């Protein structure tokens, strides 16, 4: 079983609809992240959370919101989806060692907004 | 804000040829990591470099961290078809505690 699980893995939604991507992890890590991947643009950080009461905006947070429901759960919402939010979304975790943290990625969620 | 660029964006090589991807940051980094993403997969951690001028090797892969800690490179000797994928660098600056990923280099190896 994957240590970082994302649901759904694939979703097609219509413009203007609300969509939530969920992430859960069994690694016991404090830190969780949401990234978006687009061809030629690499992985861009949307939001990150260093513990349950901590939420921070990343590089491209506009149009997105997040919720850290528990240490193991971090969900990403698109309140009103638009076509340019079509992308591959990754949830990720890392531990809180300040010397440098390996980031563990989920398997990704393909989102298409039509 | 902090930016991390990688070149080239794409590279096609014949199997057995060498390959290098370069990573450049607009700011000085505390450390840098490299990840590999196989086609259809998710990024997987390869290595971390911390010291100025550091060089690390993993079999046919050689990783370098620049003296100024603003650039890094990954060199693959004698590529194999199993090397196919996208390679990302990810840098962290002191006090920020979050990694900014580079734009990635997509490697194709022709048999």
């Amino acid at each position: 079983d994957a240590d970082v699980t994302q649901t759904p893995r694939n979703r097609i939604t219509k413009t203007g609809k609300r969509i939530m991507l969920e992430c859960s992890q069994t690694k016991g890590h404090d830190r969780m992240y949401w990234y978006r991947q687009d061809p030629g643009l690499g992985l861009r950080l949307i939001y990150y959370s260093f513990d349950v009461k901590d939420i921070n905006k990343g590089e491209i947070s506009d149009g997105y919101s997040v919720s850290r429901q528990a240490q193991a759960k971090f969900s990403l919402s698109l309140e009103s989806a638009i076509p340019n939010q079509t992308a591959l979304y990754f949830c990720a975790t890392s531990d809180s060692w300040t010397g440098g943290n390996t980031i563990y990625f989920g398997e990704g969620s393909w989102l298409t907004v039509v | 804000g902090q930016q991390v660029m990688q070149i080239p964006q794409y590279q096609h090589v014949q199997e057995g040829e060498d390959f290098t991807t370069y990573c450049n940051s607009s700011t000085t980094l505390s450390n840098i990591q490299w990840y590999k993403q196989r086609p259809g997969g998710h990024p997987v951690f390869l290595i971390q470099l911390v010291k100025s001028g550091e060089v690390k090797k993993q079999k046919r892969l050689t990783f370098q961290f620049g003296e100024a800690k603003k650039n890094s490179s990954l060199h693959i000797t004698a590529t194999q078809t199993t090397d196919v994928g996208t390679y990302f660098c990810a840098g962290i600056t002191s006090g920020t505690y979050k990694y900014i990923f580079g734009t990635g280099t997509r490697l194709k190896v022709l048999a």
Side-chain angles (χ1 to χ4, degrees), chain A residues 9-25:
Chain A
R9 296 291 313 280
N10 291 281
R11 176 63 60 88
I12 300 174
T13 192
K14 292 185 177 181
T15 297
K17 292 290 188 182
R18 183 177 188 272
I19 179 86
M20 179 183 288
L21 306 179
E22 297 184 346
C23 177
S24 62
Q25 51 114 348

Side-chain angles (χ1 to χ4, degrees), chain A residues 69-83:
Chain A
Q69 301 95 324
Q71 187 205 31
K73 295 183 183 296
F74 192 38
S75 60
L76 175 72
S77 294
L78 287 67
E79 296 300 327
S80 179
I82 55 176

Side-chain angles (χ1 to χ4, degrees), chain B residues 23-38:
Chain B
C23 179
N24 297 289
S25 170
S26 58
T27 57
T28 302
L29 303 171
S30 293
N31 57 48
I32 195 160
Q33 296 179 346
W34 285 90
Y35 291 77
K36 177 183 178 181
Q37 182 181 24
R38 294 182 186 276

Side-chain angles (χ1 to χ4, degrees), chain B residues 1 7 11 15 17 41 46-47 50 61-62 65-66 92:
Chain B
I7 54 169
Q11 182 90 52
E15 189 173 22
E17 291 182 340
L46 292 176
I47 208 161
V50 179
L61 278 60
T62 302
F65 200 8
I92 187 169

Side-chain angles (χ1 to χ4, degrees), chain A:
Chain A
D1 288 338
D3 294 322
V4 184
T5 303
Q6 294 182 227
T7 56
R9 296 291 313 280
N10 291 281
R11 176 63 60 88
I12 300 174
T13 192
K14 292 185 177 181
T15 297
K17 292 290 188 182
R18 183 177 188 272
I19 179 86
M20 179 183 288
L21 306 179
E22 297 184 346
C23 177
S24 62
Q25 51 114 348
T26 58
K27 299 192 74 68
H29 289 166
D30 291 328
R31 299 181 177 186
M32 298 189 74
Y33 312 82
W34 276 103
Y35 286 91
R36 167 180 172 159
Q37 184 173 18
D38 299 274
L41 296 176
L43 292 157
R44 291 183 292 169
L45 184 61
I46 306 172
Y47 271 95
Y48 62 103
S49 169
F50 282 176
D51 65 45
V52 175
K53 297 179 182 178
D54 176 72
I55 301 287
N56 303 282
K57 292 183 177 180
E59 304 165 78
I60 53 163
S61 57
D62 287 350
Y64 302 95
S65 62
V66 291
S67 174
R68 185 83 183 265
Q69 301 95 324
Q71 187 205 31
K73 295 183 183 296
F74 192 38
S75 60
L76 175 72
S77 294
L78 287 67
E79 296 300 327
S80 179
I82 55 176
N84 76 1
Q85 291 178 312
T86 293
L88 177 58
Y89 291 84
F90 284 105
C91 175
T93 74
S94 68
D95 65 29
S96 55
W97 175 50
T98 56
N101 317 311
T102 299
I103 301 172
Y104 297 88
F105 287 84
E107 297 188 357
S109 296
W110 278 103
L111 176 65
T112 303
V113 183
V114 296

Side-chain angles (χ1 to χ4, degrees), chain B residues 2 22 50-51 64 71 92-94 103 107:
Chain B
Q2 179 189 357
Y22 299 91
V50 179
K51 299 176 184 174
Q64 286 189 302
N71 54 69
I92 187 169
T93 52
S94 178
T103 46
L107 173 64

